[in-house]
Amino acid sequence: MNLLWIYRGMEMIRVLLVLLVLGSVEGRRARGQRTQTPESFPLDFTAVEGNMESFMTQVKNLAQSLYPCSTQKLDQEMKLQFLRNSSVTCNDGSPAGYYIKESRGSRRWLMFLEGGWYCFSKHTCDSRYETMRRLMSSSKWPPTRTGTGILSSQPEENPHWWNANTVFVPYCSSDVWSGSTAKTDQNDYAFMGSQIIQEVIKELVTKGLDGAKVLLLAGSSAGGTGVLLNVDRVSELLEDLGLGSVQVRGLADSGWFLDHKQYRLTDCIDTISCAPTEAIKRGVRYWNSVVPERCSHVYNGEDWNCFFGYKVQPTLKRPVFVVQWLFDEAQLMVDNVHLTGQPVQEGQWRYIQNLGSELRNTLKNVPAMFAPACLSHEIITRSYWMDIHVKGTSLPRALQCWDRSLRHHGNSSSIQAPLRGCPLHLIDSCPWPHCNPTCPTIREQLTGQEMSVIQFLTHLGFDVQRMAQQQGMEPHKLLGMLSNGT
């Protein structure tokens, strides 16, 4: 296959796409609207969002007609690379590493931190090693991975980051990406999450990161919290390497946990039942955690505070976009609210509603965020991530707006005023789980059948008459609100 011809073919397609965008912009100018001159990359697919599938089919057909070699499938997989520094390891001492798919010519890099809870004692780590070994060892990692959601290389699934250099860092340190303890004869396990990130960055510099314009450090769940803990440190490392011109940003998905009182207090005997505050306090000592310096100073060395988003985010220097379900399944689980089996009690309903209110309050001063009123966990690597909307805006669109707002601010966390029709602060106001009609599909656990929002709430014991009375409205009006997501 002649790669030069493929490259030229893709360049022609790129030019056609840019002309399409320019045409859309000129059309808006003709209607008297203010616009900005678009850049050729990243491509803006907003003009065809309503008919993306048909549009991309035409583009692919055009590519195949222009160059016969383009009909051959290009490699879309990320390939495994173990770290050259063998002293930085997974929990069991096996080598840490990362998956990478390079995009020649692109100056945008996306580095994703995987999630997967944590362990905070020998007992909880022994149990984790027996049941979740893939999150503590690299011994059975596959040689390749295919990205989905924001890691996808397909424009129809990932309209704004499809052409980036993509790096997936598997989670095998069980320390919320914070640890700095090696495995020794005295330590049964290594906890080196923060050092794994540092070593990956150093290796990526030799693979083209030294020429990058933007590095987006993203992560989900424990990886999302890991973004908050490491985004400033990654930027500082690049500055130390003489690469201060690289704009480092964070994208924290489902890692914005609360340290509030559990619904039902239990002893701290395992990862799930232990209150987050107590688990993290124990973990920080066990992992020898590294947290952002400014956050540690604000909390007088009580570093466990820095694992909770609303506490650490105001201390960060680099911009971070926060994605958080208002009714996060992981948060409810550690709060001992279980939404399976018996219908929930009235006290649990109040607790669930209060959770949504508490999260809204902690997010109100976050400059860029996306918070749907859904019961779920993680989103940015899900294939349906484009389908979720808040106030009519999808998550990819919100991220593109954020990207534009930061374009001229380097590594500063400040952003310019939102562009017209380009919102950055998106949060649902409806008060119940899944009151947003674009929430992910709910399925009945036993039958697998899809459930409507009303069926789901009724299944959990939702009393329409009582809740309508509490809200001071007629039951039929409440049902209409639930059906429409208002």
Side-chain angles (χ1 to χ4, degrees), residues 195-254:
Q195 290 171 275
I196 291 172
I197 292 173
Q198 297 277 301
E199 288 300 315
V200 171
I201 292 294
K202 291 176 186 177
E203 291 200 9
L204 294 181
V205 167
T206 69
K207 296 179 179 292
L209 183 61
D210 56 335
K213 180 179 180 181
V214 174
L215 169 62
L216 180 63
L217 182 66
S220 293
S221 192
T225 307
V227 168
L228 297 169
L229 292 173
N230 287 279
V231 65
D232 278 358
R233 297 187 69 240
V234 166
S235 183
E236 289 159 5
L237 172 60
L238 288 173
E239 288 176 357
D240 291 343
L241 295 173
L243 300 173
S245 62
V246 179
Q247 299 175 28
V248 180
R249 305 167 186 171
L251 171 58
D253 168 29
S254 301

Side-chain angles (χ1 to χ4, degrees), residues 390-403:
V390 174
K391 303 186 187 304
T393 299
S394 69
L395 176 52
R397 173 64 173 165
L399 287 172
Q400 185 202 19
C401 291
W402 179 60
D403 187 51

Side-chain angles (χ1 to χ4, degrees), residues 434-438 453-454 477-486:
H434 264 63
C435 55
N436 179 327
T438 69
V453 175
I454 296 174
K477 183 177 180 180
L478 174 59
L479 288 172
M481 290 173 63
L482 290 172
S483 299
N484 297 324
T486 57

Side-chain angles (χ1 to χ4, degrees), residues 6-19:
I6 293 177
Y7 178 77
R8 288 178 176 173
M10 294 307 295
E11 281 296 295
M12 291 184 69
I13 294 171
R14 181 170 70 89
V15 170
L16 289 171
L17 291 173
V18 173
L19 287 174

